[in-house]
């Protein structure tokens, strides 16, 4: 199915009028700079107070921009899009929280994403951000050529090991894996490890993309 987003009648045929009206109202709200600037902090503050706004967030912003909270919860949205000629990417949109435990947890979830995408045409790619599985400050120092301490070097090697494991898993499961872009000041380190895995796994067909 050839899909053109210039033809909105076709591109959004799977959306109800109620969904389109809700989306239009939401994007209209984004035209107010004050709301965009202060809205997220106000929402976080309200949530910290225990105010019952979670349902409102899920029915508006979350509904518009997120497929689900889990892999399983995202599948119906992906299938609906695929039936209308649109591929989906399972994007685990959580970046590292600055601890080894969080990086390892993210790595394990990304591994599940790659396995889930295998042999499913509705998921043309799996994707991940390197900042979710490696210490940002270490990637920044590696990008600028600064010398690393023994501990930082160990963290860098562990990061590279995680990236390599994800690329290997993608190759084994015949999944195209997209390494997402990062902030410019860590991109050099990200590119380096990406190119290493491209050279390793893209011998017969393209597996790793950047």
């Amino acid at each position: 199915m050839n899909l053109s987003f210039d033809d909105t009648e076709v591109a959004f045929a799977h959306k109800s009028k109620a969904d389109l009206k809700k989306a239009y109202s939401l994007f209209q709200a984004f035209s107010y700079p004050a709301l965009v600037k202060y809205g997220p902090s106000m929402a976080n503050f309200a949530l910290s107070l225990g105010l019952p706004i979670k349902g409102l967030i899920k029915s508006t912003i979350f509904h518009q921009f997120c497929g689900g909270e889990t892999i399983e919860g995202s599948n119906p949205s992906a299938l609906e899009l695929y039936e209308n000629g649109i591929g989906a990417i399972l994007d685990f949109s959580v970046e590292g929280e600055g601890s080894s435990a969080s990086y390892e947890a993210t790595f394990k979830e990304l591994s599940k994403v790659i396995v889930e995408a295998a042999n499913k045409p509705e998921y043309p790619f799996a994707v991940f951000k390197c900042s979710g599985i490696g210490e940002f400050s270490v990637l920044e120092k590696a990008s600028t050529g600064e010398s690393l301490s023994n501990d930082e070097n160990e963290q860098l090697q562990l990061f590279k090991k995680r990236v390599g494991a994800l690329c290997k898993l993608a190759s084994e499961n015949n999944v195209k894996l997209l390494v997402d872009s990062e902030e410019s000041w860590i991109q050099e380190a990200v590119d380096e490890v990406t190119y290493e895995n491209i050279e390793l796994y893209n011998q017969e067909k393209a597996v790793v993309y950047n």
Side-chain angles (χ1 to χ4, degrees):
M1 177 179 178
N2 292 322
L3 180 68
S4 170
F5 283 99
D6 293 327
D7 186 345
T8 54
E9 185 176 359
V10 173
F12 301 108
H14 63 291
K15 293 288 187 181
S16 68
K17 287 186 178 180
D19 278 337
L20 291 173
K21 286 180 179 178
K22 185 191 292 185
Y24 181 77
S25 298
L26 184 63
F27 284 106
Q28 282 288 96
F30 292 158
S31 66
Y32 296 96
L35 181 61
V36 174
K37 183 176 181 179
Y38 300 111
S41 57
M42 291 172 62
N44 286 329
F45 180 67
L47 288 169
S48 69
L49 294 177
L51 298 180
I53 65 167
K54 203 168 189 178
L56 176 63
I57 293 173
K58 288 193 72 171
S59 66
T60 54
I61 298 174
F62 186 89
H63 177 75
Q64 179 65 36
F65 295 108
C66 300
E69 294 183 76
T70 64
I71 293 174
E72 295 77 13
S74 302
N75 286 339
S77 297
L79 286 171
E80 181 186 11
L81 289 169
Y82 183 68
E83 288 168 358
N84 288 274
I86 305 168
I89 294 177
L90 278 173
D91 191 347
F92 183 56
S93 55
V94 175
E95 297 188 17
E97 299 173 357
S99 70
S100 297
S102 70
Y103 298 141
E104 191 62 26
T106 300
F107 166 74
K108 289 179 180 178
E109 189 67 19
L110 291 170
S111 299
K112 294 178 185 177
V113 166
I114 291 171
V115 172
E116 182 68 24
N119 303 311
K120 291 188 176 179
E122 62 267 31
Y123 297 128
F125 280 91
V127 64
F128 75 98
K129 290 183 76 72
C130 286
S131 53
I133 57 174
E135 178 61 44
F136 199 96
S137 61
V138 172
L139 296 178
E140 183 176 4
K141 290 183 72 172
S143 294
T144 57
E146 293 182 53
S147 59
L148 303 178
S149 66
N150 290 336
D151 179 65
E152 289 171 333
N153 189 58
E154 287 180 8
Q155 291 185 57
L156 181 63
Q157 297 311 313
L158 182 55
F159 157 74
K160 289 185 175 183
K161 183 178 178 180
R162 290 188 183 116
V163 174
L166 292 175
C167 294
K168 183 174 186 289
L169 186 63
S171 178
E172 292 171 346
N173 285 274
N174 195 30
V175 172
K176 290 183 285 186
L177 184 62
L178 178 64
V179 184
D180 206 350
S181 61
E182 295 281 358
E183 303 288 2
S184 59
W185 46 92
I186 70 167
Q187 190 63 48
E188 188 72 28
V190 170
D191 284 344
E192 182 180 338
V193 70
T194 302
Y195 292 143
E196 288 174 359
N197 283 280
I198 284 175
E199 186 174 356
L200 187 61
Y201 293 107
N202 291 18
Q203 296 287 337
E204 298 179 3
K205 59 184 177 181
V207 175
V208 183
Y209 294 73
N210 72 330

